[in-house]
Every structure is written in structure tokens, then in C-alpha cells.
Amino acid sequence: MRHPIFAANWKMNQAPADASAFIRQFLAYFPRQQDRTVLIFPSALALHAVAEALKDRPDIQLGVQNIHWEDKGAFTGENSAPIARAAGAKFVLVGHSERRHVFGETDEETGKKAAAAIRAGLTPLVCVGETLAQREAGETGAVVIRQLRAAVATIDAQHIASSLVAYEPVWAIGTGKTASPSDASAVHAMIRAELRTLTGERGEAVPILYGGSVNRGNATALLAAAEVDGLLVGGASLDAEGWAAIVRA
Ligand code: 13P
């Protein structure tokens, strides 16, 4: 069993003061544990507040939800990987479904973002997942493999092997519907096979997280599924006590 990873994607929620209060509450529920990794992806504007609130808990690490692919320049409103790194992020979500489907991010752009992350010393958490129409058309495997290949297209095998992947079916995000543990396992196994193709044996160690309507009621079963190495949680990560229950799954 790989060391499980629990990642909270707060999306566009939690202002700095709320984020700090959340962390104080969460820490009370979650004493330091060696056998699991907790990652939090707050709003970029709350990153500093969360980093301050976590200064005595280096076991909990931070990431940003998005970056631009250029390192700096005239890109009003964007954040770069070096800025995110300097602000305390160690991880970055790349290719999240909402970036792809709400903001029109392309496969090629996810590749440029993952490459920018690596250049800056951030670990990309590459998100892949099919829509309901794609699933019903039997295209799930082809879609997630295409997204994965595009995201790591310009990254060398060593850095692919030190990245993270999340399988988040679009139809499961924020809908209350989850992939069954066996459906998740089947897709994770396809991702695992592709990681082996891309990196050889090192692909074995890449954590593959499941995301999409994870909550405290289904977390244990999903985490127990073969090839599910962790959970990427949206809505249910916004309540400190509920999030702590998931992280203890
Ligand atoms: P929900 O857990 O709210 O379905 O969101 C999943 C997600 O998109 C995490 O990145």
C-alpha cells in the first residue's frame, strides 16, 4: 500500500480569515500523523494566511489551484509557478476539470503548465477525467490517457515519476455521484499502465488520487479500492471536522 494522500481543493472558497480559522479547527481534530500526507489547495489569496496558520505543522503542505505557463510577464490577473513557489506552494493542480470545462483550458496548455511547475520546483498534480457523454460512448480510457500524455508531453521521465495524478470524472464533480470503487480502480489501472509506459518501473510509485463527490461516508471504501492512493476532495474539504474525518479514513 502506498502512503495515502489526502488533498483538499477549496476552489473559490475561504477568504484568508476563514481559511486561518479553518486550519486552527482542523489541527485540533488532526494531530500529526506519519502514515499519510495532507495537501491543501486554498485560494491563492489565502495561501499566505494558511501557510502562517500551518507554520508549526510542516507535515501539511500547500499548493495552488492553477498557474500560468510563463514564468513572468504581462499576464494581468495570472500567477506564475515561481510566484506560487515563493509564496509557499509546493504543489499545483494542473488540468482540473473546471479549468478545462469552465475556462476552456486545452490539453496543450495543461502540458505547458506542468512544465512550468517543474521548472519552478513545484510538484504538479495532474487531473484527468471524462465527461458523462465520453463515458457513455466508451471513451473513458482514451480520454484520460490522452489528457495524461498531453500534460506530461514535455516532462522527462524522472519528473513524471515524481508527479501526482488525480482521476476526477467530470460527471462526479460536485454532483453527489461517485465512481464506484471498482470503476475507479479500472480507470486508475489504465493510468498506472500508462505511467509505466512513460517512466518504466518508477511509474509504480506515482500516487493516483480519486476525486469527485468524495465525502466522509464514501472515503474509506474509495481509498480501499485497488490503485486508489489518495483522495482529492472539493466540497467536503470545506468543513474542518468533516475533512478531518476523511483524512483519518
Ligand atoms: P467535489 O468533491 O466537490 O465533487 O469536487 C471534486 C474536485 O473537483 C476536487 O478537485
Side-chain angles (χ1 to χ4, degrees), residues 119-139:
R119 279 199 303 282
L122 291 176
T123 300
L125 198 178
V126 173
C127 304
V128 298
E130 82 288 4
T131 63
L132 186 58
Q134 289 165 332
R135 169 160 285 258
E136 286 172 346
E139 295 168 1

PDB file of all heavy atoms in Angstrom, residues 119-139:
ATOM      1  N   ARG A 119       9.770  23.435 -13.793  1.00  0.00           N
ATOM      2  CA  ARG A 119      10.865  24.424 -13.855  1.00  0.00           C
ATOM      3  C   ARG A 119      11.011  25.174 -12.535  1.00  0.00           C
ATOM      4  O   ARG A 119      12.093  25.519 -12.114  1.00  0.00           O
ATOM      5  CB  ARG A 119      10.577  25.492 -14.930  1.00  0.00           C
ATOM      6  CG  ARG A 119      10.880  25.135 -16.335  1.00  0.00           C
ATOM      7  CD  ARG A 119      11.010  26.383 -17.225  1.00  0.00           C
ATOM      8  NE  ARG A 119       9.874  27.282 -17.251  1.00  0.00           N
ATOM      9  CZ  ARG A 119       8.742  27.102 -17.944  1.00  0.00           C
ATOM     10  NH1 ARG A 119       8.591  26.021 -18.682  1.00  0.00           N
ATOM     11  NH2 ARG A 119       7.777  28.005 -17.907  1.00  0.00           N
ATOM     12  N   ALA A 120       9.873  25.449 -11.882  1.00  0.00           N
ATOM     13  CA  ALA A 120       9.888  26.262 -10.663  1.00  0.00           C
ATOM     14  C   ALA A 120      10.049  25.415  -9.404  1.00  0.00           C
ATOM     15  O   ALA A 120      10.073  25.959  -8.298  1.00  0.00           O
ATOM     16  CB  ALA A 120       8.596  27.072 -10.576  1.00  0.00           C
ATOM     17  N   GLY A 121      10.111  24.107  -9.556  1.00  0.00           N
ATOM     18  CA  GLY A 121      10.253  23.261  -8.370  1.00  0.00           C
ATOM     19  C   GLY A 121       8.933  22.951  -7.682  1.00  0.00           C
ATOM     20  O   GLY A 121       8.913  22.556  -6.522  1.00  0.00           O
ATOM     21  N   LEU A 122       7.833  23.146  -8.402  1.00  0.00           N
ATOM     22  CA  LEU A 122       6.519  22.748  -7.864  1.00  0.00           C
ATOM     23  C   LEU A 122       6.196  21.341  -8.363  1.00  0.00           C
ATOM     24  O   LEU A 122       6.543  20.989  -9.491  1.00  0.00           O
ATOM     25  CB  LEU A 122       5.408  23.663  -8.383  1.00  0.00           C
ATOM     26  CG  LEU A 122       5.345  25.103  -7.916  1.00  0.00           C
ATOM     27  CD1 LEU A 122       4.209  25.825  -8.645  1.00  0.00           C
ATOM     28  CD2 LEU A 122       5.138  25.189  -6.416  1.00  0.00           C
ATOM     29  N   THR A 123       5.501  20.576  -7.555  1.00  0.00           N
ATOM     30  CA  THR A 123       5.055  19.247  -7.982  1.00  0.00           C
ATOM     31  C   THR A 123       3.672  19.362  -8.606  1.00  0.00           C
ATOM     32  O   THR A 123       2.730  19.799  -7.940  1.00  0.00           O
ATOM     33  CB  THR A 123       4.989  18.286  -6.772  1.00  0.00           C
ATOM     34  OG1 THR A 123       6.288  18.197  -6.207  1.00  0.00           O
ATOM     35  CG2 THR A 123       4.504  16.910  -7.187  1.00  0.00           C
ATOM     36  N   PRO A 124       3.519  18.977  -9.882  1.00  0.00           N
ATOM     37  CA  PRO A 124       2.184  19.026 -10.475  1.00  0.00           C
ATOM     38  C   PRO A 124       1.297  17.870 -10.005  1.00  0.00           C
ATOM     39  O   PRO A 124       1.779  16.735  -9.892  1.00  0.00           O
ATOM     40  CB  PRO A 124       2.445  18.927 -11.982  1.00  0.00           C
ATOM     41  CG  PRO A 124       3.853  18.494 -12.155  1.00  0.00           C
ATOM     42  CD  PRO A 124       4.568  18.587 -10.844  1.00  0.00           C
ATOM     43  N   LEU A 125       0.056  18.180  -9.739  1.00  0.00           N
ATOM     44  CA  LEU A 125      -0.959  17.147  -9.508  1.00  0.00           C
ATOM     45  C   LEU A 125      -1.859  17.213 -10.745  1.00  0.00           C
ATOM     46  O   LEU A 125      -2.701  18.102 -10.870  1.00  0.00           O
ATOM     47  CB  LEU A 125      -1.744  17.438  -8.222  1.00  0.00           C
ATOM     48  CG  LEU A 125      -2.538  16.301  -7.573  1.00  0.00           C
ATOM     49  CD1 LEU A 125      -3.212  16.788  -6.291  1.00  0.00           C
ATOM     50  CD2 LEU A 125      -3.528  15.635  -8.453  1.00  0.00           C
ATOM     51  N   VAL A 126      -1.595  16.322 -11.673  1.00  0.00           N
ATOM     52  CA  VAL A 126      -2.248  16.358 -12.990  1.00  0.00           C
ATOM     53  C   VAL A 126      -3.629  15.717 -12.883  1.00  0.00           C
ATOM     54  O   VAL A 126      -3.756  14.563 -12.470  1.00  0.00           O
ATOM     55  CB  VAL A 126      -1.398  15.584 -14.024  1.00  0.00           C
ATOM     56  CG1 VAL A 126      -2.149  15.458 -15.343  1.00  0.00           C
ATOM     57  CG2 VAL A 126      -0.054  16.271 -14.219  1.00  0.00           C
ATOM     58  N   CYS A 127      -4.669  16.485 -13.252  1.00  0.00           N
ATOM     59  CA  CYS A 127      -6.041  15.985 -13.140  1.00  0.00           C
ATOM     60  C   CYS A 127      -6.559  15.569 -14.508  1.00  0.00           C
ATOM     61  O   CYS A 127      -6.412  16.316 -15.489  1.00  0.00           O
ATOM     62  CB  CYS A 127      -6.952  17.064 -12.581  1.00  0.00           C
ATOM     63  SG  CYS A 127      -6.399  17.717 -10.992  1.00  0.00           S
ATOM     64  N   VAL A 128      -7.161  14.398 -14.564  1.00  0.00           N
ATOM     65  CA  VAL A 128      -7.737  13.886 -15.804  1.00  0.00           C
ATOM     66  C   VAL A 128      -9.124  13.335 -15.497  1.00  0.00           C
ATOM     67  O   VAL A 128      -9.418  12.981 -14.352  1.00  0.00           O
ATOM     68  CB  VAL A 128      -6.851  12.767 -16.414  1.00  0.00           C
ATOM     69  CG1 VAL A 128      -5.476  13.285 -16.787  1.00  0.00           C
ATOM     70  CG2 VAL A 128      -6.733  11.563 -15.477  1.00  0.00           C
ATOM     71  N   GLY A 129      -9.966  13.280 -16.514  1.00  0.00           N
ATOM     72  CA  GLY A 129     -11.293  12.705 -16.281  1.00  0.00           C
ATOM     73  C   GLY A 129     -12.200  12.941 -17.462  1.00  0.00           C
ATOM     74  O   GLY A 129     -12.072  13.921 -18.182  1.00  0.00           O
ATOM     75  N   GLU A 130     -13.136  12.000 -17.641  1.00  0.00           N
ATOM     76  CA  GLU A 130     -14.024  12.037 -18.802  1.00  0.00           C
ATOM     77  C   GLU A 130     -15.365  12.666 -18.436  1.00  0.00           C
ATOM     78  O   GLU A 130     -15.779  12.632 -17.287  1.00  0.00           O
ATOM     79  CB  GLU A 130     -14.228  10.613 -19.343  1.00  0.00           C
ATOM     80  CG  GLU A 130     -15.282   9.762 -18.626  1.00  0.00           C
ATOM     81  CD  GLU A 130     -14.870   9.297 -17.234  1.00  0.00           C
ATOM     82  OE1 GLU A 130     -13.782   9.675 -16.748  1.00  0.00           O
ATOM     83  OE2 GLU A 130     -15.662   8.555 -16.604  1.00  0.00           O
ATOM     84  N   THR A 131     -16.053  13.192 -19.439  1.00  0.00           N
ATOM     85  CA  THR A 131     -17.427  13.665 -19.243  1.00  0.00           C
ATOM     86  C   THR A 131     -18.375  12.465 -19.271  1.00  0.00           C
ATOM     87  O   THR A 131     -17.977  11.357 -19.674  1.00  0.00           O
ATOM     88  CB  THR A 131     -17.845  14.639 -20.364  1.00  0.00           C
ATOM     89  OG1 THR A 131     -17.820  13.913 -21.600  1.00  0.00           O
ATOM     90  CG2 THR A 131     -16.917  15.838 -20.456  1.00  0.00           C
ATOM     91  N   LEU A 132     -19.628  12.721 -18.905  1.00  0.00           N
ATOM     92  CA  LEU A 132     -20.612  11.633 -18.942  1.00  0.00           C
ATOM     93  C   LEU A 132     -20.790  11.116 -20.370  1.00  0.00           C
ATOM     94  O   LEU A 132     -20.841   9.904 -20.609  1.00  0.00           O
ATOM     95  CB  LEU A 132     -21.956  12.127 -18.382  1.00  0.00           C
ATOM     96  CG  LEU A 132     -23.025  11.052 -18.228  1.00  0.00           C
ATOM     97  CD1 LEU A 132     -22.547   9.919 -17.323  1.00  0.00           C
ATOM     98  CD2 LEU A 132     -24.308  11.663 -17.681  1.00  0.00           C
ATOM     99  N   ALA A 133     -20.840  12.041 -21.334  1.00  0.00           N
ATOM    100  CA  ALA A 133     -21.028  11.615 -22.738  1.00  0.00           C
ATOM    101  C   ALA A 133     -19.857  10.740 -23.181  1.00  0.00           C
ATOM    102  O   ALA A 133     -20.054   9.724 -23.870  1.00  0.00           O
ATOM    103  CB  ALA A 133     -21.155  12.842 -23.638  1.00  0.00           C
ATOM    104  N   GLN A 134     -18.657  11.115 -22.769  1.00  0.00           N
ATOM    105  CA  GLN A 134     -17.479  10.312 -23.137  1.00  0.00           C
ATOM    106  C   GLN A 134     -17.544   8.935 -22.479  1.00  0.00           C
ATOM    107  O   GLN A 134     -17.230   7.918 -23.099  1.00  0.00           O
ATOM    108  CB  GLN A 134     -16.194  11.052 -22.759  1.00  0.00           C
ATOM    109  CG  GLN A 134     -15.951  12.263 -23.659  1.00  0.00           C
ATOM    110  CD  GLN A 134     -14.904  13.214 -23.114  1.00  0.00           C
ATOM    111  OE1 GLN A 134     -14.686  13.319 -21.899  1.00  0.00           O
ATOM    112  NE2 GLN A 134     -14.241  13.929 -24.018  1.00  0.00           N
ATOM    113  N   ARG A 135     -17.975   8.888 -21.226  1.00  0.00           N
ATOM    114  CA  ARG A 135     -18.095   7.582 -20.545  1.00  0.00           C
ATOM    115  C   ARG A 135     -19.121   6.714 -21.271  1.00  0.00           C
ATOM    116  O   ARG A 135     -18.880   5.549 -21.546  1.00  0.00           O
ATOM    117  CB  ARG A 135     -18.478   7.771 -19.072  1.00  0.00           C
ATOM    118  CG  ARG A 135     -18.885   6.475 -18.382  1.00  0.00           C
ATOM    119  CD  ARG A 135     -18.793   6.557 -16.886  1.00  0.00           C
ATOM    120  NE  ARG A 135     -17.415   6.490 -16.431  1.00  0.00           N
ATOM    121  CZ  ARG A 135     -16.832   5.403 -15.922  1.00  0.00           C
ATOM    122  NH1 ARG A 135     -17.511   4.286 -15.776  1.00  0.00           N
ATOM    123  NH2 ARG A 135     -15.573   5.433 -15.549  1.00  0.00           N
ATOM    124  N   GLU A 136     -20.267   7.324 -21.566  1.00  0.00           N
ATOM    125  CA  GLU A 136     -21.332   6.537 -22.207  1.00  0.00           C
ATOM    126  C   GLU A 136     -20.928   6.065 -23.604  1.00  0.00           C
ATOM    127  O   GLU A 136     -21.398   5.038 -24.079  1.00  0.00           O
ATOM    128  CB  GLU A 136     -22.636   7.343 -22.232  1.00  0.00           C
ATOM    129  CG  GLU A 136     -23.256   7.405 -20.836  1.00  0.00           C
ATOM    130  CD  GLU A 136     -24.454   8.339 -20.724  1.00  0.00           C
ATOM    131  OE1 GLU A 136     -24.660   9.147 -21.653  1.00  0.00           O
ATOM    132  OE2 GLU A 136     -25.155   8.249 -19.689  1.00  0.00           O
ATOM    133  N   ALA A 137     -20.022   6.810 -24.233  1.00  0.00           N
ATOM    134  CA  ALA A 137     -19.544   6.410 -25.563  1.00  0.00           C
ATOM    135  C   ALA A 137     -18.369   5.431 -25.472  1.00  0.00           C
ATOM    136  O   ALA A 137     -17.768   5.085 -26.496  1.00  0.00           O
ATOM    137  CB  ALA A 137     -19.141   7.648 -26.352  1.00  0.00           C
ATOM    138  N   GLY A 138     -18.023   5.015 -24.263  1.00  0.00           N
ATOM    139  CA  GLY A 138     -16.929   4.052 -24.098  1.00  0.00           C
ATOM    140  C   GLY A 138     -15.551   4.656 -24.319  1.00  0.00           C
ATOM    141  O   GLY A 138     -14.589   3.944 -24.634  1.00  0.00           O
ATOM    142  N   GLU A 139     -15.452   5.978 -24.127  1.00  0.00           N
ATOM    143  CA  GLU A 139     -14.181   6.653 -24.432  1.00  0.00           C
ATOM    144  C   GLU A 139     -13.331   6.974 -23.202  1.00  0.00           C
ATOM    145  O   GLU A 139     -12.319   7.673 -23.314  1.00  0.00           O
ATOM    146  CB  GLU A 139     -14.475   7.967 -25.182  1.00  0.00           C
ATOM    147  CG  GLU A 139     -15.099   7.756 -26.547  1.00  0.00           C
ATOM    148  CD  GLU A 139     -15.658   9.038 -27.161  1.00  0.00           C
ATOM    149  OE1 GLU A 139     -15.540  10.117 -26.534  1.00  0.00           O
ATOM    150  OE2 GLU A 139     -16.222   8.949 -28.254  1.00  0.00           O
TER     151      GLU A 139
END
